[in-house]
């Protein structure tokens, strides 16, 4: 009986350690009703990357964000624009483990280019138009591509850390709402990171990695 109890305690300890290590990879659970972020350090406790506003000074407006209904300008090189409501823009999200954004796509090819979020999975809801969307798995999974043409009301999920994209394949503008299971998923646009780093990556590295002539790499770096 003592041996069985001893084994049970070891297993319980291992599971607890695993649960703790997994939990630390995501936003921690809050131990309070809310912690509205503030940018002034004089207000108190630093939690999840933000200082907390004095709870007695919190108002309803701290929990409301009103800019997602405004169409963004898509007259740019990519033909898309993202309105973020991450914790930096919406301080009421601090410690709550969720966030959202609004994406506008220009007709006939508006592109949200290949990118990934290092700290959260993403779920996308099409509000208008037709989007060709997809993601690529890791090297370990042989970089498989999953794609789908999404219509009004369709949802698609993009797992944490995997490169993904959306392309407007319709002749009208398109709109999507995107939600994340973290207050700050982060965004790394692959082309910007590779060809637009500061300072630039040595062209010899990129030439060999992408099987391109060095002059082409240098041209691409100039575009960023």
């Amino acid at each position: 009986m003592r041996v069985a109890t001893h084994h049970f305690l070891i297993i319980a300890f291992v599971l607890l350690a695993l649960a703790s290590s997994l939990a630390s990879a995501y936003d921690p659970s809050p131990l309070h009703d809310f912690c509205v972020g503030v940018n002034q350090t004089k207000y108190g406790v630093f939690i999840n990357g933000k200082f907390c506003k004095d709870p007695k000074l919190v108002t309803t407006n701290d929990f409301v964000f009103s800019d997602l209904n405004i169409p963004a300008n898509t007259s740019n090189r990519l033909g898309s624009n993202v309105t973020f409501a991450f914790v930096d823009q919406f301080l009421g999200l601090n410690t709550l483990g969720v966030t959202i954004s609004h994406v506008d796509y220009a007709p006939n090819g508006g592109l949200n280019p290949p990118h990934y979020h290092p700290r959260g999975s993403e779920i996308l809801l099409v509000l208008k138009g037709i989007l060709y969307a997809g993601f690529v798995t890791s090297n370990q999974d042989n970089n498989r591509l999953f794609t789908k043409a999404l219509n009004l009301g369709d949802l698609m999920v993009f797992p944490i850390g995997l490169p993904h994209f959306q392309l407007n394949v319709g002749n009208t503008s398109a709109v999507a709402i995107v939600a994340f299971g973290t207050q700050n998923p982060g965004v790394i646009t692959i082309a910007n990171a590779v060809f637009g780093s500061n300072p630039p990556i040595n062209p010899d590295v990129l030439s060999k990695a992408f099987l391109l002539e060095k002059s082409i790499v240098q041209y691409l770096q100039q575009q960023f």
Side-chain angles (χ1 to χ4, degrees), residues 6-126:
H6 178 68
H7 287 170
F8 174 78
L9 290 175
I10 292 176
I11 293 171
F13 178 78
V14 171
L15 291 176
L16 180 61
L18 286 172
S20 299
S21 64
L22 289 172
S24 66
Y26 299 92
D27 295 355
S29 299
L31 300 177
H32 35 66
D33 288 345
F34 52 79
C35 172
V36 174
V38 291
N39 294 319
Q40 296 90 349
T41 59
K42 64 181 180 181
Y43 282 97
V45 182
F46 190 76
I47 301 177
N48 288 20
K50 296 290 180 184
F51 281 85
C52 294
K53 187 175 185 178
D54 184 339
K56 296 182 178 62
L57 301 178
V58 170
T59 69
T60 301
N61 287 338
D62 289 311
F63 304 106
V64 176
F65 187 88
S66 302
D67 291 345
L68 294 186
N69 65 319
I70 302 173
N73 184 3
T74 59
S75 59
N76 53 53
R77 179 171 55 91
L78 294 172
S80 71
N81 207 327
V82 182
T83 303
F84 295 106
F86 293 177
V87 68
D88 286 339
Q89 295 83 28
F90 188 7
L91 293 169
L93 294 177
N94 192 44
T95 75
L96 300 185
V98 294
T99 195
I100 199 166
S101 61
H102 173 276
V103 191
D104 290 280
Y105 309 82
N108 300 311
L111 174 68
N112 191 7
H115 64 282
Y116 65 94
H117 306 283
R119 294 183 291 275
S121 296
E122 169 184 333
I123 188 166
L124 176 143
L125 169 64
V126 178

Side-chain angles (χ1 to χ4, degrees), residues 175-187:
V175 178
I177 288 288
V178 179
F180 303 88
T182 172
Q183 69 178 40
N184 187 15
V187 182

Side-chain angles (χ1 to χ4, degrees), residues 162-199:
L162 296 186
H164 55 280
F165 59 87
Q166 303 99 41
L167 174 71
N168 184 1
V169 293
N171 56 15
T172 65
S173 60
V175 178
I177 288 288
V178 179
F180 303 88
T182 172
Q183 69 178 40
N184 187 15
V187 182
I188 299 177
T189 303
I190 295 171
N192 295 50
V194 173
F195 296 106
S197 66
N198 184 20

